[in-house]
Amino acid sequence: LTVVESMACSTPVITYSISAASEIIDNEIDGFIVENFDLNNIVQIIEKLFNDNEYYDKMCKNALEKVNT
C-alpha cells in the first residue's frame, strides 16, 4: 500500500527485488528495483534523480499515471 500511496503523490519508488513492491514497479519507468541490497546502486539512482530534473519529472509523471489508470 505504501508504494501505491507514494506513486499517487508523484514520487518514484526505490525498492528491493525481493519485496512485493517489485511486482508493482516497472524498473526505470515508474520506479526502481534494486538487486541484492546494493546500496551503491541506490546512491546512483538518488544522484541521477537529484541531478537530472527532466528524468525526475518523467519518473514522477509515470508513477502518477500508473496509479491513475
Side-chain angles (χ1 to χ4, degrees):
L1 182 60
T2 304
V3 171
V4 175
E5 290 172 341
S6 179
M7 294 173 77
C9 293
S10 297
T11 306
V13 174
I14 302 172
T15 188
Y16 291 115
S17 60
I18 61 170
S19 76
S22 66
E23 296 177 18
I24 299 169
I25 301 298
D26 288 319
N27 193 34
E28 297 187 28
I29 295 174
D30 51 31
F32 302 90
I33 301 171
V34 177
E35 301 292 330
N36 303 324
F37 301 95
D38 185 351
L39 296 179
N40 289 325
N41 192 6
I42 293 173
V43 169
Q44 290 173 347
I45 291 166
I46 292 170
E47 286 177 342
K48 181 165 177 66
L49 290 170
F50 185 78
N51 292 320
D52 187 341
N53 290 334
E54 185 176 317
Y55 184 67
Y56 175 77
D57 291 343
K58 178 182 148 195
M59 296 297 293
C60 292
K61 179 181 171 243
N62 290 346
L64 182 60
E65 284 180 357
K66 183 171 210 165
V67 295
N68 285 332
T69 56

